[in-house]
Amino acid sequence: MITMRAAEERGHANHGWLDSYHTFSFAGYQDPKHMGFRSLRVINEDRVREGQGFGTHPHRNMEIISYVIEGALQHRDSMGTGSVIRPGEVQLMSAGNGVTHSEFNASKSELVHFLQIWLIPSEQGTPPRYEQKAFSREEKQGRLRVVASPDGRDGSVSVRTDAVVYAGLFDAGEAAELRLNKGRNAWVHVVRGKVRVNGRDLVAGDGAAITEEAAVRVEGVEGGESGEVLVFDLA
């Protein structure tokens, strides 16, 4: 079964410096029908104006992934990490027993457009940690490439939860299939462009919950921008 979550149905908050769409309940947007999916708690699509950003603030007991679509995101945290995340890179901050951080647009002239993703950890109170890895376009073209997993397989970042995250790019005529083990579920988020997922057409910002299915099949479709997706394989 596939259950759609259309882009235009998401929560929306425009603060001037920040334009944010919420797939699941977050901050001032609360919808009891959309509180997350399995261990996936947050997918926020954020656009931050040049020179602006999130000041220092705390997190605890959450696996936080940043996935930059356009521009550059500057990160600093209480672990001493300072970095810039660009398209093709995946940042993981395991908040554990507590961390503070800030995120700013690293450019004075361009927006930064990124996804902020939260996963509920399997254990609480662990020491905080940070990872950042790059994945080339070629690694993701026409396939689903592991970018986050519990065991850091294939050079992915290591999340402290029972979830595997895949990223893929699909032009027309390209397709990939992810087999789901019994009892597993999937969430698909379309980062940009258009794709077909298990026979259903999705566009940028759309999401889909996939339950009681043997596989997730992602296909590129004719016309427009090629599709980019994240697929979450969840317990």
Side-chain angles (χ1 to χ4, degrees):
M1 182 171 65
I2 181 166
T3 304
M4 301 289 293
R5 174 68 161 142
E8 63 269 20
E9 295 175 355
R10 295 177 296 174
H12 182 221
N14 192 333
H15 303 284
W17 65 273
L18 167 67
D19 190 11
S20 184
Y21 287 87
H22 311 310
T23 296
F24 305 115
S25 294
F26 185 84
Y29 168 65
Q30 293 295 313
D31 182 343
K33 294 183 294 184
H34 298 287
M35 296 300 296
F37 180 74
R38 316 300 295 186
S39 61
L40 180 58
R41 179 61 188 84
V42 166
I43 301 179
N44 289 346
E45 182 180 2
D46 291 342
R47 291 175 174 86
V48 177
R49 292 182 60 85
E50 52 275 13
Q52 300 293 309
F54 303 88
T56 302
H57 58 282
H59 290 284
R60 184 182 296 273
N61 295 319
M62 197 65 69
E63 301 293 288
I64 301 173
I65 292 173
S66 294
Y67 188 92
V68 175
I69 303 166
E70 298 172 288
L73 184 67
Q74 183 175 325
H75 167 94
R76 291 194 178 95
D77 63 42
S78 55
M79 295 178 283
T81 309
S83 65
V84 175
I85 307 104
R86 295 182 170 84
E89 296 180 322
V90 174
Q91 177 212 57
L92 169 69
M93 187 177 72
S94 294
N97 57 23
V99 66
T100 60
H101 79 136
S102 63
E103 291 177 301
F104 280 84
N105 187 338
S107 172
K108 301 298 183 184
S109 59
E110 297 178 339
L111 286 172
V112 61
H113 180 195
F114 70 104
L115 297 176
Q116 180 185 162
I117 297 157
W118 295 8
L119 292 155
I120 299 169
S122 300
E123 296 182 59
Q124 298 194 346
T126 56
R129 55 186 291 275
Y130 182 93
E131 278 188 81
Q132 182 177 331
K133 295 191 176 181
F135 303 91
S136 70
R137 185 177 186 87
E138 291 72 23
E139 290 179 85
K140 297 178 285 186
Q141 189 66 53
R143 62 188 291 257
L144 293 170
R145 204 286 186 208
V146 179
V147 296
S149 64
D151 54 2
R153 73 188 69 161
D154 300 328
S156 61
V157 298
S158 303
V159 290
R160 292 166 166 165
T161 191
D162 188 3
V164 183
V165 186
Y166 299 82
L169 300 166
F170 295 90
D171 293 331
E174 295 180 326
E177 187 170 280
L178 173 66
R179 303 294 298 177
L180 296 174
N181 291 333
K182 187 175 181 180
R184 304 290 292 186
N185 305 268
W187 184 275
V188 179
H189 180 85
V190 183
V191 178
R192 60 179 139 198
K194 183 177 181 180
V195 295
R196 186 166 294 132
V197 177
N198 288 22
R200 301 281 293 273
D201 285 354
L202 280 72
V203 298
D206 284 351
I210 297 173
T211 58
E212 300 177 355
E213 296 278 351
V216 180
R217 180 175 173 81
V218 182
E219 304 171 65
V221 296
E222 295 288 348
E225 186 182 7
S226 62
E228 181 174 3
V229 298
L230 293 177
V231 179
F232 300 82
D233 179 347
L234 304 162

